[in-house]
Amino acid sequence: MSKHILLGISGGIAAYKSCELVRLLKKQGHSVTVAMSRAAAEFVSPLTFQALSGNPVLAETHGGGQGGNGMAHINLTREADVFLIAPATANTIAKIAGGIADNLLTNLAAARKCPLAVAPAMNVEMWSNPANQRNIARLISDGITVFQPAEGEQACGETGIGRMPEAAELADLLPDMWTPKLLQGKKVLVTAGATFEAIDPVRGITNISSGRMGMALARACRAAGAEVTLIYGQIQTALPAGLAHAEQAVSAEAMYRAVMNRIGGQNVFISVAAVADYKVKNSSAQKIKKNTGGEPPLIELEENPDILASVAKLPEPPFCVGFAAESENVLEHARAKRVKKGIPMLVANDVATAMGKTVNRITIITETGETAFPEIGKRQAAQAVVERLAGLL
Ligand code: C5P
């Protein structure tokens, strides 16, 4: 869903992160218009944002920030679906909290009709200052989204809370603002990625799952308002921001234990992880040596627990969603798998289209019917699963 985002930049060193943010939002398919305070234009040139956004930049240094009819502060937010101020300085936050409109950004905030979000960026002492905390609480009670600053080393040399979240994190969280809250109040546990079964301390059996489909589902559930716990094996992609809990469990057995440990109280279990069916029975504590000319080592396998089937068999199971990656007779095998595992919903995909890729071609199979989708991005596929799931809960 492509949106028009008005990005306000106030005067903080974190303005450099907003260059990357514009790029990421554009990559998600959105259009971005940048408005800058006078101080912001001293950190990063408006020309940089113009080149990155592909749109004219409104900057107070360039003619007072007014458009053709002198009404830019009105017009800009009328055209926008969301107004994000990142970085938002303590000064800008204080003015917005107090309803002051004395420059371009605060005028835009005061005159807006669209939702407003801020990503504060400031020194740790400024962040924890009671006046600032009061202002942040005021913004939240006024219905403004506040992206909590991160902890770490600051540009001033001090360490603590106050850093603006990284651009990737903001780009990840922003779409939650316009996502329907289909899973509000629900707790969802997702497994993702490939498991790894050790042969010896350096070698193992794994698979080509990248974790992208699982991450997309964790993200889609979070965006839909769910409290998401993620348990992941080996992954080749970034973890989603804003999860209630995330932990790595690399072997199937470790993943089984982690899931069982956390499944109590969950409303939904989405098992996307590509879990190894077998583990190595005779794994070696020491690295296996090459035995040139002799017998090659024999690897003996034994069955792993089936996490999904075990969860489905719990006395009060959550709503279980399975994934089936098949290389042949995809639908036939998937239908049988749903029944065998005793789960209400299973998503079938062809390994050739799905595993290790950014796209997927899924069929959602439930007790009452099947819906096949064309090849789509994993983000869209995850959204389709969430919509179907929400309808069945
Ligand atoms: O039986 P198969 O591995 O094809 O089933 C795939 C589904 O079962 C996936 O949802 C996967 O996460 C889950 N699974 C599991 N534990 C296993 C094997 C698969 O939870 N040991």
Side-chain angles (χ1 to χ4, degrees):
M1 218 185 331
S2 119
K3 297 285 175 187
H4 184 66
I5 295 155
L6 176 61
L7 177 61
I9 320 261
S10 63
I13 180 61
Y16 80 90
K17 292 186 183 176
S18 303
C19 300
E20 175 70 0
L21 179 59
V22 173
R23 219 181 55 79
L24 294 174
L25 292 173
K26 294 257 300 179
K27 213 169 143 195
Q28 284 181 9
H30 309 303
S31 62
V32 182
T33 297
V34 173
M36 303 178 77
S37 72
R38 193 177 297 276
E42 297 194 8
F43 285 97
V44 180
S45 155
L47 199 58
T48 304
F49 284 109
Q50 186 180 318
L52 289 169
S53 68
N55 280 323
V57 169
L58 267 102
E60 284 171 307
T61 48
H62 289 244
Q66 297 292 337
N69 63 357
M71 289 287 175
H73 64 293
I74 309 287
N75 299 342
L76 275 177
T77 60
R78 297 300 175 274
E79 292 155 8
D81 294 299
V82 63
F83 179 25
L84 166 67
I85 304 183
T89 59
N91 183 42
T92 295
I93 287 168
K95 287 183 192 173
I96 294 172
I100 295 170
D102 68 346
N103 64 14
L104 174 62
L105 295 189
T106 50
N107 269 295
L108 285 168
R112 77 184 188 278
K113 270 192 162 176
C114 63
L116 172 64
V118 297
M122 64 196 72
N123 165 269
V124 53
E125 300 301 334
M126 291 174 81
W127 171 252
S128 52
N129 180 294
N132 182 63
Q133 286 300 310
R134 215 164 43 234
N135 293 332
I136 292 288
R138 168 81 60 92
L139 295 191
I140 293 170
S141 79
D142 286 348
I144 294 166
T145 300
V146 176
F147 293 113
Q148 290 299 313
E151 197 168 344
E153 210 172 289
Q154 303 197 307
C156 54
E158 294 182 11
T159 305
I161 296 185
R163 288 167 58 101
M164 186 169 98
E166 297 306 318
E169 189 173 327
L170 288 176
D172 179 356
L173 293 172
L174 194 67
D176 291 15
M177 289 184 72
W178 57 80
T179 306
K181 300 296 170 230
L182 298 175
L183 297 177
Q184 190 67 46
K186 301 287 182 211
K187 288 185 169 190
V188 180
L189 194 153
V190 179
T191 63
T195 57
F196 179 92
E197 305 299 328
I199 295 171
D200 70 13
V202 294
R203 306 179 179 101
I205 300 174
T206 186
N207 59 68
I208 61 166
S209 166
S210 64
R212 284 193 195 94
M213 193 64 229
M215 298 305 151
L217 265 154
R219 238 176 228 120
C221 290
R222 179 209 67 208
E227 194 182 297
V228 178
T229 296
L230 173 69
I231 295 171
Y232 60 99
Q234 292 196 324
I235 53 171
Q236 295 158 42
T237 182
L239 289 180
L243 301 182
H245 177 79
E247 75 182 73
Q248 192 171 33
V250 166
S251 70
E253 235 165 43
M255 189 175 274
Y256 173 83
R257 283 196 301 272
V259 168
M260 288 306 172
N261 196 23
R262 298 249 166 209
I263 201 71
Q266 300 288 337
N267 304 106
V268 180
F269 176 47
I270 311 182
S271 185
V272 199
V275 184
D277 293 323
Y278 298 98
K279 67 179 169 200
V280 180
K281 194 175 174 185
N282 58 341
S283 66
S284 164
Q286 303 303 329
K287 188 178 169 206
I288 299 169
K289 293 280 167 233
K290 182 154 79 176
N291 181 14
T292 310
E295 280 291 302
L298 211 64
I299 296 171
E300 274 183 80
L301 300 178
E302 66 182 325
E303 208 171 335
N304 268 325
D306 190 310
I307 307 170
L308 178 56
S310 311
V311 170
K313 279 199 206 95
L314 289 172
E316 283 179 59
F319 186 93
C320 287
V321 182
F323 269 70
E326 305 291 344
S327 59
E328 54 175 355
N329 303 329
V330 177
L331 287 179
E332 237 172 84
H333 284 144
R335 285 175 197 134
K337 208 164 269 186
R338 188 189 71 75
V339 175
K340 188 164 166 235
K341 295 198 191 237
I343 55 173
M345 182 167 161
L346 187 129
V347 182
N349 43 207
D350 191 322
V351 286
T353 326
M355 285 185 90
K357 310 266 170 54
T358 56
V359 292
N360 203 347
R361 190 162 48 218
I362 59 166
T363 300
I364 299 178
I365 304 173
T366 65
E367 276 157 19
T368 53
E370 293 179 9
T371 317
F373 293 83
E375 189 171 300
I376 46 180
K378 286 187 171 170
R379 190 151 54 99
Q380 274 173 286
Q383 186 56 30
V385 172
V386 165
E387 282 168 19
R388 195 67 213 279
L389 162 67
L392 291 173
L393 281 180

